[in-house]
Amino acid sequence: MMPYERLDAWRACHVLAIATYRVTSSFPDTERYGLVVQMRRAAVSTASNIAEGSAKRGARALRRYLDIALGSLAELCYQILLSKELSYLSAKQFAELEELRSIAGKLTWGLHESARRHEAMFR
């Protein structure tokens, strides 16, 4: 098991990425190179940046990658909303994706705050 796999934030983002891939597979073909790619990229970025940041030395480096992951979660939040408004997502799919995104965001933010506190202890 890789060290990042032990992080709840990474696990939540991984589940979100899988759910995003599954739900976007039913989007219209016209979105194959548009919204589908953007949503998948943002979802993968969240888990990828947590994994990469966990391999860096020190809490400051980890926080930098967590900042990027949080930005990708915000981007995905809008894309989920847009998908619902364009009727690409059902109300149920929207609620499920939004719940997964919310959980991933809370856990990633919590990890960010933990890294911040850890960094402050060693100043």
Side-chain angles (χ1 to χ4, degrees):
M1 176 182 284
M2 296 297 293
Y4 63 82
E5 292 177 293
R6 294 183 179 96
L7 298 172
D8 291 338
W10 177 84
R11 284 196 296 268
C13 289
H14 177 65
V15 168
L16 176 60
I18 291 169
T20 300
Y21 264 76
R22 287 191 176 131
V23 76
T24 57
S25 68
S26 65
F27 279 26
D29 287 342
T30 57
E31 290 296 342
R32 180 174 292 143
Y33 301 108
L35 195 53
V36 170
V37 170
Q38 288 294 105
M39 288 179 73
R40 288 177 174 186
R41 184 197 55 74
V44 169
S45 175
T46 63
S48 296
N49 276 292
I50 293 171
E52 187 173 356
S54 72
K56 302 295 182 179
R57 289 184 165 179
R60 174 176 272 170
L62 172 60
R63 283 182 51 223
R64 188 166 69 86
Y65 284 90
L66 292 172
D67 281 337
I68 296 167
L70 288 165
S72 294
L73 284 165
E75 182 180 354
L76 184 59
C77 181
Y78 169 68
Q79 294 161 349
I80 291 168
L81 174 65
L82 179 61
S83 298
K84 181 185 81 105
E85 304 245 340
L86 292 172
S87 299
Y88 296 160
L89 293 175
S90 68
K92 181 181 177 194
Q93 289 172 316
F94 171 77
E96 289 171 357
L97 266 186
E98 185 52 29
E99 176 68 13
L100 292 173
R101 190 216 45 87
S102 177
I103 291 168
K106 288 174 185 171
L107 290 169
T108 303
W109 184 251
L111 182 58
H112 185 280
E113 286 302 296
S114 177
R116 184 187 61 75
R117 286 190 302 273
H118 182 76
E119 182 183 345
M121 288 185 343
F122 295 98
R123 283 187 184 171

